[in-house]
Amino acid sequence: MSQTISRIAFIGLGVMGYPMAGHLARAGLEAHVYNRTMSKADAWVERFGGHRHATPRQAAEQADLVLLCVGNDDDVRHVTLGDDGVLHGMQAGSLLVDHTTASARLAETLDTACRERGIGFLDAPVSGGQQGAENGALTIMCGGADADFALVEPLLAHYARAINLMGPAGSGQLTKMVNQVCIAGLIQGLSEGLHFAERAGLDQTRVMEVISQGAAGSWQMENRHRTMIDDEYDHGFAIDWMRKDLAICLEQARHLQARLPVTALVDQFYADLQAMGGGRWDTSALLRRLRAFD
């Protein structure tokens, strides 16, 4: 593994990848980017400099570090193992970091494919949403080898405030699953609490101000209660993406024979919201579902 990283490739310039790649460019790294919608890659290059490429493979050629932030398992396979995937352009001694929230099994597959080519690999899903990416305040959960993690950690710090190695390949994805399981339960509990307060005739804002100082407090309560009370959901992490993540969690739970009854129930509540046309609403829209029965 090379001990210096100066040239990077970033694959996927969505709401997360766009600012994450921007932080690395601003840090002085030579940046090569690929995005399925070329106009977005062109806009990124115009803003941050660097080079846009027609395929992931071309972007990855000569790169010391390749980073991915795409949609799902199929997208990851396409940009890594496909005919024009990055693994066909990367050199031995380089490093691949996947920020996509994907399955642990895929992380293990990629780790094996990389090792066969003399390439390092980390699965490194992120938490913190678009705002966290833009502010450089993400949390990153990594799986992989100690040496690879030590090499890349200083660079990931350009867009993260917490970066932790959780174990071997796949461990980052498993930790992200725990994160999503907990968030699903928290948001449903917050939604029910706000719904109860409303039906009881309480001042919901004052209730939140009081209970947020105690054991009920959470990031969701602090950052989402106001918009939930106002029935505003055109922001944040979309329900469509949350259901994608929860499907991964529930599939992994079946494999592990772990019981996730609340997660499965909340996943169905999100399906109700999708049926209401809310696939792009923020995950906190669970309250809107409760209000629909009023």
Side-chain angles (χ1 to χ4, degrees), residues 229-262:
I229 292 170
D230 293 340
D231 198 42
E232 296 175 357
Y233 302 111
D234 294 328
H235 60 267
F237 190 60
I239 287 169
D240 286 343
W241 290 112
M242 185 60 157
R243 287 212 74 205
K244 182 269 289 187
D245 291 358
L246 293 182
I248 293 171
C249 297
L250 293 168
E251 173 60 29
Q252 187 69 42
R254 285 188 286 270
H255 176 69
L256 297 173
Q257 296 186 324
R259 295 173 178 82
L260 302 179
V262 173

Side-chain angles (χ1 to χ4, degrees), residues 119-275:
I119 296 168
F121 174 75
L122 292 173
D123 57 291
V126 303
S127 180
Q130 181 178 355
Q131 183 177 2
E134 292 172 351
N135 295 336
L138 294 170
T139 294
I140 306 180
M141 301 144 267
C142 300
D146 290 345
D148 294 337
F149 177 76
L151 180 63
V152 78
E153 182 182 13
L155 296 181
L156 303 187
H158 289 298
Y159 47 78
R161 62 181 178 186
I163 312 163
N164 292 278
L165 182 63
M166 306 307 299
S171 299
Q173 297 295 355
L174 291 170
T175 303
K176 179 62 183 291
M177 293 177 209
V178 175
N179 185 77
Q180 301 306 76
V181 167
C182 292
I183 287 174
L186 281 169
I187 297 176
Q188 179 62 20
L190 176 58
S191 298
E192 292 183 14
L194 285 168
H195 180 64
F196 182 92
E198 185 174 35
R199 294 300 292 267
L202 296 171
D203 183 322
Q204 294 166 287
T205 299
R206 290 191 64 196
V207 170
M208 292 297 106
E209 290 172 351
V210 171
I211 70 172
S212 65
Q213 305 305 309
S218 68
W219 185 97
Q220 297 293 336
M221 182 178 290
E222 180 180 352
N223 291 276
R224 290 290 182 260
H225 81 269
R226 184 68 264 167
T227 49
M228 291 171 74
I229 292 170
D230 293 340
D231 198 42
E232 296 175 357
Y233 302 111
D234 294 328
H235 60 267
F237 190 60
I239 287 169
D240 286 343
W241 290 112
M242 185 60 157
R243 287 212 74 205
K244 182 269 289 187
D245 291 358
L246 293 182
I248 293 171
C249 297
L250 293 168
E251 173 60 29
Q252 187 69 42
R254 285 188 286 270
H255 176 69
L256 297 173
Q257 296 186 324
R259 295 173 178 82
L260 302 179
V262 173
T263 303
L265 184 61
V266 175
D267 178 57
Q268 290 307 301
F269 292 164
Y270 281 131
D272 292 343
L273 288 165
Q274 286 177 318

Side-chain angles (χ1 to χ4, degrees), residues 41-57:
D42 289 335
W44 188 93
V45 169
E46 183 176 353
R47 178 176 178 182
F48 296 106
H51 310 271
R52 185 266 285 172
H53 295 270
T55 68
R57 178 176 184 168

Side-chain angles (χ1 to χ4, degrees), residues 70 72-82 85 103 106 109-110:
V70 293
N72 54 39
D73 279 31
D74 289 343
D75 294 330
V76 173
R77 290 190 187 95
H78 177 72
V79 301
T80 56
L81 301 170
S103 69
L106 178 56
T109 297
L110 287 177

